């Protein structure tokens, strides 16, 4: 695995004479930033992907996103791309290690790992990953605010920069009426980042485990801010052109990067998840 290291500080730039203009966002745009790791082999990529998936479960467990045996996160295998890794049915999010994960195919056959196949997770993730070939991971749990907001039957309004990431990139779907298979994946659409399942919860997909997990964390918080803002009155949305630009600007690297603080923290506190 290789990753871009942080640049050295070097000599500080001279302060502008006479209190002139300070650094601007455009001027910083070309500076080095953290980049996703690159792997030399499928084995290295698989190991890291499984560890990131285990980390996501630990994070979600700590936030109370689990609800009994409900909830699942998947990660497409980097080599055998018509198969994916997922949590065993009935195993606590708070205990999952990389070695606990199961690899299954789109037909529910267990190819690696021990435990019980998740009866809700296998159909949902098989449909999502088979119909969205660019997606590397998908997330669905019964998180508190996503579940509450899903009862309103409303789309998310772009009332913040975070909410704007989902502008024109999410939808509403009645999973109780139409099921959690191919129809759900079709409702998400080719460019969707998230889906609100009516009276059920939320779903996200991403081009990495990191992005899918971050989008779920953000989607859940966005649902919370929608609820709180409406308690205060009628929230004002961003200018819709600005919201659309914000949504378009968010890319796979941004999704990966925004998950790194949570990943670093959980690995520091629970290094056993990497086993």
């Amino acid at each position: 695995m290789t990753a871009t290291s942080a640049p050295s500080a070097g000599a500080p730039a001279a302060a502008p004479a006479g209190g002139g203009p300070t650094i601007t966002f455009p001027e910083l745009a070309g500076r080095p930033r953290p980049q996703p790791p690159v792997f030399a082999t499928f084995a290295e990529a698989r190991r890291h992907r499984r560890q990131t998936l285990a980390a996501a479960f630990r994070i979600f467990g700590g936030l109370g996103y689990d609800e009994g045996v409900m909830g699942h996160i998947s990660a497409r295998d980097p080599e055998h791309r018509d198969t994916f890794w997922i949590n065993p049915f009935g195993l606590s999010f708070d205990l999952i290690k990389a070695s606990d994960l199961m690899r299954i195919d789109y037909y529910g056959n267990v190819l690696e790992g021990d435990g019980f196949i998740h009866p809700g997770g296998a159909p949902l993730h098989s449909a999502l990953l088979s119909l969205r070939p660019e997606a590397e991971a998908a997330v669905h749990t019964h998180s508190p605010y996503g579940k509450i907001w899903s009862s309103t039957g409303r789309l998310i309004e772009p009332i913040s920069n975070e909410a704007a990431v989902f502008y024109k990139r999410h939808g509403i779907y009645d999973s109780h009426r139409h099921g959690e298979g191919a129809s759900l994946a079709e409702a998400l659409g080719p460019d969707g980042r998230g889906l609100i399942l009516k009276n059920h919860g939320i779903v996200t997909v991403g081009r990495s485990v990191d992005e899918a997990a971050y989008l779920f964390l953000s989607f859940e918080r966005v649902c919370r801010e929608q609820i709180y803002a409406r308690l205060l009155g009628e929230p004002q949305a961003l200018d819709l052109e600005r919201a659309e630009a914000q949504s378009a600007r968010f890319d796979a690297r941004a999704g990966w990067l925004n998950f790194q603080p949570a990943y670093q923290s959980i690995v520091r506190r629970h290094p056993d998840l990497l086993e």
Side-chain angles (χ1 to χ4, degrees):
M1 177 183 78
T2 60
T4 305
S5 58
S8 57
T22 57
I23 192 73
T24 65
F25 283 110
E27 289 173 321
L28 281 172
R31 298 283 182 92
R33 297 190 179 189
Q35 298 295 325
V38 177
F39 302 97
T41 66
F42 285 126
E44 289 179 2
R46 181 178 298 111
R47 180 171 181 269
H48 180 73
R49 190 166 293 197
R50 292 174 66 183
Q51 291 175 337
T52 307
L53 186 56
F57 282 114
R58 295 291 186 98
I59 293 166
F60 282 27
L63 292 170
Y65 290 179
D66 51 345
E67 178 78 30
V69 297
M70 276 76 78
H72 22 82
I73 311 174
S74 64
R76 190 190 299 276
D77 188 83
E79 181 178 11
H80 309 291
R81 295 188 55 78
D82 57 350
T83 72
F84 58 93
W85 297 89
I86 195 168
N87 50 309
F89 186 54
L91 182 58
S92 170
F93 283 13
D94 288 321
L95 300 178
I96 289 179
K97 302 176 183 179
S99 57
D100 291 320
L101 300 168
M102 303 170 67
R103 183 166 70 92
I104 67 174
D105 64 18
Y106 295 155
Y107 309 101
N109 298 305
V110 178
L111 305 174
E112 292 186 60
D114 299 314
F116 299 98
I117 190 168
H118 203 297
L124 185 149
H125 293 272
S126 294
L128 283 174
L129 296 178
S130 65
L131 293 174
R132 286 286 296 268
E134 88 293 350
E136 299 295 323
V139 185
H140 169 57
T141 79
H142 296 186
S143 54
Y145 291 101
K147 191 163 51 176
I148 294 169
W149 183 256
S150 75
S151 71
T152 68
R154 295 173 175 167
L155 291 170
I156 294 294
E157 294 185 13
I159 63 173
S160 66
N161 287 331
E162 291 78 16
V165 167
F166 297 95
Y167 182 63
K168 294 187 176 181
R169 299 294 182 95
H170 77 291
I172 300 173
Y173 176 75
D174 190 339
S175 59
H176 295 301
R177 176 174 294 181
H178 303 298
E180 298 180 25
S183 295
L184 185 151
E186 290 166 2
L188 182 64
D191 301 315
R193 293 180 174 132
L195 195 60
I196 299 169
L197 308 184
K198 291 182 65 175
N199 307 100
H200 188 165
I202 55 177
V203 171
T204 58
V205 298
R207 290 152 289 185
S208 64
V209 176
D210 312 71
E211 183 184 23
Y214 168 72
L215 284 172
F216 193 96
L217 292 167
S218 186
F219 208 12
E220 168 72 0
R221 291 168 180 153
V222 164
C223 288
R224 179 180 63 186
E225 76 181 24
Q226 302 279 313
I227 295 165
Y228 286 178
R230 287 183 176 276
L231 290 175
L232 298 174
E234 190 63 31
Q236 296 183 2
L238 293 171
D239 176 84
L240 296 185
E241 289 187 4
R242 180 178 295 275
E244 192 158 3
Q246 178 81 357
S247 182
R249 189 160 52 245
F250 185 92
D251 59 12
R253 190 196 63 82
W256 170 85
L257 180 60
N258 277 286
F259 186 66
Q260 298 318 295
Y263 178 79
Q264 295 158 9
S265 178
I266 200 69
V267 169
R268 177 71 63 87
R269 289 187 284 116
H270 300 284
D272 65 298
L273 70 86
L274 300 175
E275 297 173 5

